[in-house]
Amino acid sequence: MDHFLYRDGALFAEDVPVSEIAAAVGTPFYVYSTATLLRHFQLFDDALDGTDHLVCYAMKAASNQAILKTLAQAGAGMDVVSGGEYLRAKAAGVSGDKIVFSGVGKTADEIRAALTGGIRQFNVESEPEMEVINAVALELGTVAPITVRVNPDVDAKTHAKIATGKSENKFGIPIARASEVYAHAASLPGLEVIGIDVHIGSQLTELEPFELAYTKVAELTEQLRAEGHNIRRLDLGGGLGIPYTRSNDAPPLPMEYGALIKKTLGHLGCEIEIEPGRLIAGNAGLMVSKVIYVKSGEGRDFLIVDGAMNDLIRPAMYEAHHDIVAVQEPAAGVEQQAYDIVGPVCESGDTFAKQRNMPPLKSGDLIAFRSAGAYGAVMASEYNTRPLIPEVLVNGDQFAVIRERPSFDEIINRDTIPSWL
Ligand SMILES: *Cc1c(COP(=O)(O)O)cnc(C)c1O
Protein backbone atom coordinates (compact mmCIF):
# COMPACT_ATOMS: atom_id res chain seq x y z
CA MET A 1 0.00 0.00 0.00
CA ASP A 2 1.18 3.52 -0.66
CA HIS A 3 -0.10 7.07 -0.66
CA PHE A 4 -0.02 7.78 -4.40
CA LEU A 5 -3.64 7.65 -5.46
CA TYR A 6 -5.90 9.34 -7.98
CA ARG A 7 -8.37 11.91 -6.69
CA ASP A 8 -10.85 13.46 -9.06
CA GLY A 9 -8.79 12.35 -12.03
CA ALA A 10 -5.40 13.58 -10.84
CA LEU A 11 -2.54 11.64 -9.25
CA PHE A 12 -1.77 12.81 -5.73
CA ALA A 13 1.21 12.26 -3.45
CA GLU A 14 -0.59 12.16 -0.10
CA ASP A 15 -2.62 15.43 -0.21
CA VAL A 16 -0.54 17.17 -2.87
CA PRO A 17 -1.32 16.96 -6.61
CA VAL A 18 1.75 15.58 -8.41
CA SER A 19 1.18 18.15 -11.19
CA GLU A 20 1.57 20.94 -8.62
CA ILE A 21 4.99 19.63 -7.61
CA ALA A 22 5.95 19.32 -11.29
CA ALA A 23 4.97 22.96 -11.86
CA ALA A 24 7.08 24.04 -8.88
CA VAL A 25 10.28 22.01 -9.43
CA GLY A 26 10.22 21.03 -13.11
CA THR A 27 10.60 17.50 -14.45
CA PRO A 28 11.96 14.93 -14.01
CA PHE A 29 11.98 14.54 -10.22
CA TYR A 30 11.59 12.01 -7.44
CA VAL A 31 8.83 12.42 -4.88
CA TYR A 32 8.57 10.46 -1.62
CA SER A 33 5.67 10.03 0.78
CA THR A 34 6.39 10.46 4.48
CA ALA A 35 3.29 8.44 5.45
CA THR A 36 4.39 5.49 3.29
CA LEU A 37 7.95 5.53 4.65
CA LEU A 38 6.67 5.56 8.22
CA ARG A 39 4.04 2.93 7.57
CA HIS A 40 6.59 0.52 6.12
CA PHE A 41 9.01 1.06 9.01
CA GLN A 42 6.15 0.48 11.45
CA LEU A 43 5.16 -2.79 9.73
CA PHE A 44 8.62 -4.21 10.43
CA ASP A 45 8.74 -2.84 13.94
CA ASP A 46 5.32 -4.38 14.67
CA ALA A 47 6.31 -7.67 13.02
CA LEU A 48 9.05 -8.10 15.63
CA ASP A 49 6.87 -7.00 18.51
CA GLY A 50 7.57 -9.02 21.63
CA THR A 51 11.26 -9.51 20.79
CA ASP A 52 14.20 -7.33 21.73
CA HIS A 53 14.87 -5.84 18.30
CA LEU A 54 16.08 -2.94 16.19
CA VAL A 55 15.01 -2.21 12.62
CA CYS A 56 18.09 -0.77 10.90
CA TYR A 57 17.05 0.87 7.64
CA ALA A 58 19.46 -0.13 4.84
CA MET A 59 20.05 3.44 3.76
CA LYS A 60 21.70 2.58 0.46
CA ALA A 61 18.12 2.18 -0.87
CA ALA A 62 17.41 5.92 -0.50
CA SER A 63 19.73 8.00 1.60
CA ASN A 64 18.53 11.60 1.44
CA GLN A 65 19.01 13.26 4.83
CA ALA A 66 15.30 14.08 5.05
CA ILE A 67 14.36 10.42 4.56
CA LEU A 68 16.90 9.32 7.16
CA LYS A 69 15.63 11.88 9.65
CA THR A 70 12.02 10.85 9.06
CA LEU A 71 12.85 7.23 9.83
CA ALA A 72 15.30 7.95 12.64
CA GLN A 73 12.71 10.06 14.45
CA ALA A 74 10.37 7.05 14.28
CA GLY A 75 13.05 4.97 16.02
CA ALA A 76 14.92 3.34 13.15
CA GLY A 77 18.58 2.46 13.31
CA MET A 78 20.67 2.55 10.13
CA ASP A 79 22.62 -0.05 8.18
CA VAL A 80 25.50 1.65 6.36
CA VAL A 81 27.84 0.21 3.73
CA SER A 82 30.45 2.95 3.38
CA GLY A 83 32.17 5.70 5.32
CA GLY A 84 30.09 8.21 3.38
CA GLU A 85 26.86 6.56 4.46
CA TYR A 86 28.12 6.50 8.04
CA LEU A 87 28.69 10.27 7.92
CA ARG A 88 25.29 10.79 6.28
CA ALA A 89 23.56 8.83 9.05
CA LYS A 90 25.40 10.85 11.70
CA ALA A 91 24.55 14.11 9.93
CA ALA A 92 20.87 13.10 10.00
CA GLY A 93 21.15 12.83 13.78
CA VAL A 94 21.41 9.05 14.16
CA SER A 95 23.53 8.12 17.15
CA GLY A 96 26.43 5.74 16.64
CA ASP A 97 24.91 3.06 18.85
CA LYS A 98 22.12 2.68 16.29
CA ILE A 99 24.40 2.39 13.25
CA VAL A 100 25.47 -1.00 11.90
CA PHE A 101 28.39 -1.09 9.43
CA SER A 102 28.09 -3.68 6.64
CA GLY A 103 30.01 -4.12 3.38
CA VAL A 104 32.79 -6.29 1.96
CA GLY A 105 35.51 -3.67 1.64
CA LYS A 106 35.64 -1.43 4.68
CA THR A 107 38.91 0.50 4.67
CA ALA A 108 41.02 1.32 7.72
CA ASP A 109 39.97 4.98 7.39
CA GLU A 110 36.28 4.07 7.34
CA ILE A 111 36.72 1.78 10.33
CA ARG A 112 38.59 4.50 12.21
CA ALA A 113 35.86 7.05 11.52
CA ALA A 114 33.16 4.69 12.77
CA LEU A 115 35.08 3.67 15.89
CA THR A 116 35.76 7.31 16.69
CA GLY A 117 32.19 8.47 16.07
CA GLY A 118 30.55 5.46 17.70
CA ILE A 119 29.18 2.28 16.16
CA ARG A 120 26.69 -0.39 17.17
CA GLN A 121 28.67 -3.12 15.45
CA PHE A 122 30.71 -4.02 12.41
CA ASN A 123 29.40 -6.89 10.33
CA VAL A 124 32.74 -8.45 9.37
CA GLU A 125 32.94 -10.03 5.95
CA SER A 126 36.42 -11.59 5.84
CA GLU A 127 39.44 -12.52 7.94
CA PRO A 128 41.71 -9.80 6.49
CA GLU A 129 39.03 -7.25 7.40
CA MET A 130 38.84 -8.71 10.89
CA GLU A 131 42.58 -8.13 11.31
CA VAL A 132 42.28 -4.51 10.22
CA ILE A 133 39.35 -3.77 12.55
CA ASN A 134 41.34 -5.32 15.41
CA ALA A 135 44.41 -3.25 14.57
CA VAL A 136 42.48 0.03 14.30
CA ALA A 137 40.62 -0.65 17.55
CA LEU A 138 43.90 -1.32 19.39
CA GLU A 139 45.44 1.81 17.89
CA LEU A 140 42.47 3.82 19.24
CA GLY A 141 42.58 2.04 22.60
CA THR A 142 39.08 0.65 22.19
CA VAL A 143 37.28 -2.60 21.48
CA ALA A 144 35.17 -3.05 18.34
CA PRO A 145 31.87 -4.91 18.66
CA ILE A 146 31.51 -7.33 15.76
CA THR A 147 29.38 -9.98 14.17
CA VAL A 148 30.69 -12.15 11.38
CA ARG A 149 28.63 -12.29 8.22
CA VAL A 150 28.18 -15.90 7.28
CA ASN A 151 27.37 -17.05 3.78
CA PRO A 152 24.81 -19.84 4.21
CA ASP A 153 24.98 -21.02 0.57
CA VAL A 154 21.27 -20.50 0.02
CA ASP A 155 19.67 -19.65 -3.31
CA ALA A 156 17.70 -16.43 -2.77
CA LYS A 157 15.80 -17.00 -6.05
CA THR A 158 16.22 -13.40 -7.12
CA HIS A 159 18.05 -11.53 -9.91
CA ALA A 160 21.67 -12.74 -10.11
CA LYS A 161 23.06 -9.22 -9.57
CA ILE A 162 21.35 -8.92 -6.19
CA ALA A 163 21.74 -12.49 -4.89
CA THR A 164 24.38 -12.52 -2.14
CA GLY A 165 23.96 -15.76 -0.19
CA LYS A 166 25.44 -18.40 -2.52
CA SER A 167 28.95 -19.68 -1.95
CA GLU A 168 30.10 -18.22 -5.29
CA ASN A 169 29.11 -14.68 -4.16
CA LYS A 170 31.73 -12.34 -2.69
CA PHE A 171 29.86 -11.86 0.60
CA GLY A 172 30.60 -13.21 4.06
CA ILE A 173 32.59 -16.26 5.14
CA PRO A 174 31.46 -19.79 4.28
CA ILE A 175 29.26 -21.00 7.11
CA ALA A 176 31.26 -24.23 7.25
CA ARG A 177 34.32 -22.22 8.35
CA ALA A 178 32.46 -20.21 10.99
CA SER A 179 33.81 -22.19 13.93
CA GLU A 180 37.43 -21.53 12.95
CA VAL A 181 36.83 -17.86 12.10
CA TYR A 182 34.98 -17.18 15.37
CA ALA A 183 37.78 -18.83 17.35
CA HIS A 184 40.25 -16.54 15.62
CA ALA A 185 38.07 -13.45 16.25
CA ALA A 186 37.81 -14.33 19.93
CA SER A 187 41.60 -14.39 20.17
CA LEU A 188 41.95 -10.80 18.93
CA PRO A 189 41.97 -8.33 21.85
CA GLY A 190 40.57 -5.41 19.80
CA LEU A 191 37.36 -7.28 18.98
CA GLU A 192 34.32 -8.26 20.98
CA VAL A 193 32.31 -10.97 19.26
CA ILE A 194 28.64 -10.32 19.93
CA GLY A 195 26.70 -12.14 17.26
CA ILE A 196 26.09 -13.47 13.78
CA ASP A 197 25.09 -11.63 10.60
CA VAL A 198 23.49 -12.94 7.42
CA HIS A 199 22.04 -11.24 4.31
CA ILE A 200 21.21 -13.44 1.34
CA GLY A 201 19.99 -10.98 -1.27
CA SER A 202 17.45 -8.43 -2.30
CA GLN A 203 13.92 -8.50 -3.76
CA LEU A 204 13.16 -11.95 -2.31
CA THR A 205 9.59 -12.91 -3.11
CA GLU A 206 9.35 -16.10 -1.03
CA LEU A 207 10.02 -16.91 2.60
CA GLU A 208 11.68 -20.25 1.92
CA PRO A 209 15.24 -18.93 1.31
CA PHE A 210 14.98 -16.89 4.52
CA GLU A 211 13.80 -19.98 6.38
CA LEU A 212 16.73 -22.05 5.09
CA ALA A 213 19.23 -19.32 6.01
CA TYR A 214 17.75 -18.53 9.44
CA THR A 215 17.57 -22.22 10.35
CA LYS A 216 21.28 -22.48 9.61
CA VAL A 217 21.90 -19.37 11.74
CA ALA A 218 19.95 -20.95 14.62
CA GLU A 219 22.10 -24.09 14.44
CA LEU A 220 25.25 -22.01 14.23
CA THR A 221 24.21 -19.96 17.26
CA GLU A 222 23.91 -23.10 19.39
CA GLN A 223 27.19 -24.47 18.05
CA LEU A 224 29.14 -21.25 18.69
CA ARG A 225 27.65 -20.93 22.16
CA ALA A 226 28.77 -24.48 22.90
CA GLU A 227 32.23 -23.42 21.75
CA GLY A 228 32.22 -20.64 24.34
CA HIS A 229 31.12 -17.58 22.34
CA ASN A 230 28.58 -15.26 23.89
CA ILE A 231 26.28 -14.98 20.87
CA ARG A 232 23.59 -12.50 21.87
CA ARG A 233 22.68 -10.53 18.73
CA LEU A 234 21.52 -11.82 15.36
CA ASP A 235 21.56 -9.48 12.37
CA LEU A 236 19.29 -11.05 9.77
CA GLY A 237 19.90 -8.63 6.91
CA GLY A 238 17.25 -7.23 4.60
CA GLY A 239 15.93 -8.38 1.28
CA LEU A 240 12.18 -8.79 1.62
CA GLY A 241 10.76 -7.99 -1.81
CA ILE A 242 8.06 -5.56 -2.83
CA PRO A 243 5.26 -5.82 -5.38
CA TYR A 244 6.47 -4.00 -8.50
CA THR A 245 3.23 -4.69 -10.31
CA ARG A 246 -0.32 -4.58 -9.13
CA SER A 247 -1.18 -7.79 -10.93
CA ASN A 248 1.30 -10.50 -9.93
CA ASP A 249 1.51 -12.42 -6.69
CA ALA A 250 2.51 -10.16 -3.84
CA PRO A 251 5.64 -11.09 -1.85
CA PRO A 252 5.18 -12.17 1.78
CA LEU A 253 4.18 -9.44 4.21
CA PRO A 254 6.50 -8.12 6.93
CA MET A 255 4.19 -9.73 9.50
CA GLU A 256 4.74 -13.17 7.93
CA TYR A 257 8.47 -12.50 7.75
CA GLY A 258 8.47 -11.50 11.43
CA ALA A 259 6.59 -14.68 12.34
CA LEU A 260 9.22 -16.72 10.50
CA ILE A 261 12.00 -14.98 12.43
CA LYS A 262 10.29 -15.74 15.73
CA LYS A 263 9.68 -19.35 14.69
CA THR A 264 13.24 -20.07 13.56
CA LEU A 265 15.20 -17.95 16.05
CA GLY A 266 12.88 -16.87 18.84
CA HIS A 267 13.93 -19.65 21.24
CA LEU A 268 17.53 -18.41 21.32
CA GLY A 269 16.82 -15.27 23.35
CA CYS A 270 18.99 -13.12 21.11
CA GLU A 271 18.48 -9.49 20.26
CA ILE A 272 17.24 -9.34 16.65
CA GLU A 273 18.30 -6.81 14.03
CA ILE A 274 16.89 -6.59 10.54
CA GLU A 275 18.09 -4.37 7.68
CA PRO A 276 15.22 -3.71 5.28
CA GLY A 277 15.84 -1.13 2.57
CA ARG A 278 13.73 -1.70 -0.50
CA LEU A 279 10.53 -2.51 1.35
CA ILE A 280 10.69 0.70 3.33
CA ALA A 281 11.54 3.09 0.49
CA GLY A 282 10.55 1.33 -2.76
CA ASN A 283 6.85 1.99 -2.86
CA ALA A 284 7.30 5.28 -1.00
CA GLY A 285 8.66 7.01 -4.11
CA LEU A 286 7.72 7.93 -7.66
CA MET A 287 9.84 9.28 -10.47
CA VAL A 288 7.80 11.82 -12.40
CA SER A 289 8.70 12.60 -15.98
CA LYS A 290 7.26 14.49 -18.93
CA VAL A 291 6.65 13.31 -22.46
CA ILE A 292 8.91 15.25 -24.82
CA TYR A 293 7.87 13.63 -28.09
CA VAL A 294 5.62 10.90 -29.35
CA LYS A 295 7.52 9.34 -32.24
CA SER A 296 6.04 6.91 -34.68
CA GLY A 297 8.51 4.20 -35.61
CA GLU A 298 8.42 1.10 -37.78
CA GLY A 299 5.39 -0.71 -36.36
CA ARG A 300 5.71 0.90 -32.94
CA ASP A 301 5.28 4.22 -31.23
CA PHE A 302 7.88 5.61 -28.87
CA LEU A 303 7.16 7.83 -25.91
CA ILE A 304 10.35 9.85 -25.52
CA VAL A 305 10.31 11.19 -21.98
CA ASP A 306 12.63 13.59 -20.12
CA GLY A 307 13.68 11.00 -17.49
CA ALA A 308 16.35 8.53 -18.55
CA MET A 309 18.47 5.56 -17.49
CA ASN A 310 20.85 7.88 -15.66
CA ASP A 311 17.95 8.96 -13.41
CA LEU A 312 16.44 5.49 -12.87
CA ILE A 313 18.78 2.71 -13.88
CA ARG A 314 16.85 -0.31 -12.63
CA PRO A 315 15.23 -1.27 -15.96
CA ALA A 316 18.57 -1.04 -17.81
CA MET A 317 20.59 -2.75 -15.07
CA TYR A 318 18.27 -5.45 -13.73
CA GLU A 319 15.63 -5.75 -16.46
CA ALA A 320 13.36 -4.36 -13.76
CA HIS A 321 9.71 -3.62 -14.29
CA HIS A 322 8.13 -0.38 -13.08
CA ASP A 323 4.45 0.29 -13.39
CA ILE A 324 4.08 3.57 -15.28
CA VAL A 325 0.93 5.64 -14.96
CA ALA A 326 -0.37 8.86 -16.45
CA VAL A 327 -0.51 11.67 -13.90
CA GLN A 328 -3.83 12.74 -15.42
CA GLU A 329 -6.09 9.74 -14.82
CA PRO A 330 -7.36 8.33 -18.12
CA ALA A 331 -11.11 8.64 -18.64
CA ALA A 332 -13.02 5.45 -17.96
CA GLY A 333 -13.14 3.16 -21.00
CA VAL A 334 -10.43 5.00 -22.93
CA GLU A 335 -8.66 2.71 -25.37
CA GLN A 336 -5.08 1.94 -24.38
CA GLN A 337 -2.21 2.06 -26.79
CA ALA A 338 1.15 0.24 -26.73
CA TYR A 339 4.26 2.40 -26.49
CA ASP A 340 7.97 1.83 -26.06
CA ILE A 341 8.81 4.25 -23.24
CA VAL A 342 12.35 5.55 -23.62
CA GLY A 343 14.64 8.30 -22.39
CA PRO A 344 16.80 10.68 -24.44
CA VAL A 345 20.17 9.04 -23.60
CA CYS A 346 22.22 7.77 -26.53
CA GLU A 347 21.93 4.06 -25.77
CA SER A 348 19.26 1.56 -26.69
CA GLY A 349 19.52 0.39 -23.08
CA ASP A 350 17.78 3.62 -22.16
CA THR A 351 14.42 1.91 -22.43
CA PHE A 352 12.02 1.83 -19.50
CA ALA A 353 9.37 -0.39 -21.05
CA LYS A 354 8.57 -2.04 -24.35
CA GLN A 355 5.09 -2.20 -25.83
CA ARG A 356 3.54 -0.96 -22.60
CA ASN A 357 -0.17 -0.25 -22.69
CA MET A 358 -0.88 3.34 -21.73
CA PRO A 359 -3.70 5.75 -22.38
CA PRO A 360 -3.00 7.90 -25.46
CA LEU A 361 -0.38 10.49 -24.47
CA LYS A 362 0.96 13.61 -26.08
CA SER A 363 3.90 15.93 -25.74
CA GLY A 364 3.85 17.72 -22.38
CA ASP A 365 1.87 15.03 -20.51
CA LEU A 366 3.23 13.84 -17.16
CA ILE A 367 3.84 10.20 -16.33
CA ALA A 368 4.90 8.60 -13.06
CA PHE A 369 7.13 5.57 -12.54
CA ARG A 370 5.82 3.75 -9.51
CA SER A 371 7.95 1.84 -6.97
CA ALA A 372 10.93 4.08 -7.72
CA GLY A 373 11.77 5.09 -4.15
CA ALA A 374 14.46 2.44 -3.57
CA TYR A 375 17.63 2.16 -5.66
CA GLY A 376 16.40 5.09 -7.76
CA ALA A 377 17.86 8.48 -6.88
CA VAL A 378 20.82 6.87 -5.10
CA MET A 379 21.95 5.10 -8.27
CA ALA A 380 21.54 8.13 -10.51
CA SER A 381 24.44 9.65 -12.42
CA GLU A 382 25.04 12.68 -14.59
CA TYR A 383 25.69 10.62 -17.73
CA ASN A 384 25.13 12.76 -20.83
CA THR A 385 25.61 15.82 -18.56
CA ARG A 386 22.06 15.41 -17.36
CA PRO A 387 21.82 17.02 -13.90
CA LEU A 388 20.88 14.78 -10.94
CA ILE A 389 17.15 15.25 -10.64
CA PRO A 390 15.56 16.88 -7.59
CA GLU A 391 14.07 14.96 -4.71
CA VAL A 392 10.87 16.12 -3.03
CA LEU A 393 9.34 14.93 0.23
CA VAL A 394 5.61 15.16 0.82
CA ASN A 395 4.06 15.16 4.29
CA GLY A 396 0.28 15.52 4.28
CA ASP A 397 -0.51 18.66 2.34
CA GLN A 398 3.04 20.02 2.52
CA PHE A 399 5.97 19.33 0.26
CA ALA A 400 9.60 20.38 0.29
CA VAL A 401 12.50 20.04 -2.11
CA ILE A 402 14.99 17.86 -0.22
CA ARG A 403 17.64 17.99 -2.92
CA GLU A 404 17.88 20.73 -5.51
CA ARG A 405 18.61 20.17 -9.15
CA PRO A 406 22.17 21.41 -9.72
CA SER A 407 22.71 24.10 -12.35
CA PHE A 408 24.74 23.35 -15.45
CA ASP A 409 27.38 25.78 -14.18
CA GLU A 410 27.73 23.78 -10.97
CA ILE A 411 28.17 20.59 -12.95
CA ILE A 412 30.66 22.03 -15.42
CA ASN A 413 32.66 23.90 -12.79
CA ARG A 414 33.28 20.68 -10.87
CA ASP A 415 35.93 19.90 -13.48
CA THR A 416 39.30 21.60 -13.16
CA ILE A 417 41.67 22.32 -16.00
CA PRO A 418 45.35 21.32 -15.65
CA SER A 419 47.95 24.09 -15.95
CA TRP A 420 49.20 22.91 -19.36
CA LEU A 421 45.89 23.57 -21.10
C1 LIG B 1 21.41 -4.06 0.36
C2 LIG B 1 21.50 -4.61 1.72
C3 LIG B 1 20.37 -4.62 2.55
C4 LIG B 1 19.01 -4.13 2.09
O1 LIG B 1 18.42 -4.97 1.14
P1 LIG B 1 16.94 -4.66 0.67
O2 LIG B 1 16.66 -5.67 -0.37
O3 LIG B 1 16.92 -3.28 0.13
O4 LIG B 1 16.04 -4.83 1.86
C5 LIG B 1 20.52 -5.05 3.84
N1 LIG B 1 21.71 -5.50 4.31
C6 LIG B 1 22.81 -5.53 3.54
C7 LIG B 1 24.09 -6.01 4.10
C8 LIG B 1 22.74 -5.09 2.21
O5 LIG B 1 23.84 -5.13 1.44
Side-chain angles (χ1 to χ4, degrees), residues 58 60 79 102 149 199 201-203 237-240 275-278 375:
K60 73 177 193 280
D79 172 48
S102 302
R149 177 169 177 178
H199 171 72
S202 194
Q203 187 52 19
L240 191 59
E275 304 169 343
R278 188 188 306 270
Y375 307 106

Side-chain angles (χ1 to χ4, degrees), residues 192-206:
E192 185 186 10
V193 177
I194 58 170
I196 304 173
D197 171 48
V198 70
H199 171 72
I200 57 175
S202 194
Q203 187 52 19
L204 273 69
T205 54
E206 297 169 31

Side-chain angles (χ1 to χ4, degrees), residues 9-58:
L11 187 66
F12 273 64
E14 299 191 20
D15 300 329
V16 182
V18 168
S19 59
E20 188 181 318
I21 304 171
V25 307
T27 55
F29 63 90
Y30 280 98
V31 55
Y32 307 96
S33 154
T34 298
T36 312
L37 288 167
L38 291 176
R39 177 171 183 277
H40 290 162
F41 166 72
Q42 203 58 50
L43 287 174
F44 279 113
D45 207 33
D46 291 348
L48 293 177
D49 197 30
T51 64
D52 183 9
H53 69 272
L54 184 66
V55 178
C56 293
Y57 170 57

Side-chain angles (χ1 to χ4, degrees), residues 207-257:
L207 286 182
E208 195 210 350
F210 288 117
E211 180 157 16
L212 290 172
Y214 295 170
T215 303
K216 289 189 181 192
V217 168
E219 287 163 12
L220 182 63
T221 302
E222 313 232 35
Q223 181 196 332
L224 292 175
R225 281 177 171 171
E227 290 167 7
H229 302 285
N230 182 7
I231 302 297
R232 53 199 184 273
R233 182 181 294 167
L234 302 177
D235 183 328
L236 303 175
L240 191 59
I242 65 170
Y244 275 99
T245 65
R246 302 230 142 170
S247 43
N248 71 356
D249 291 343
L253 300 171
M255 198 51 80
E256 299 168 289
Y257 173 69

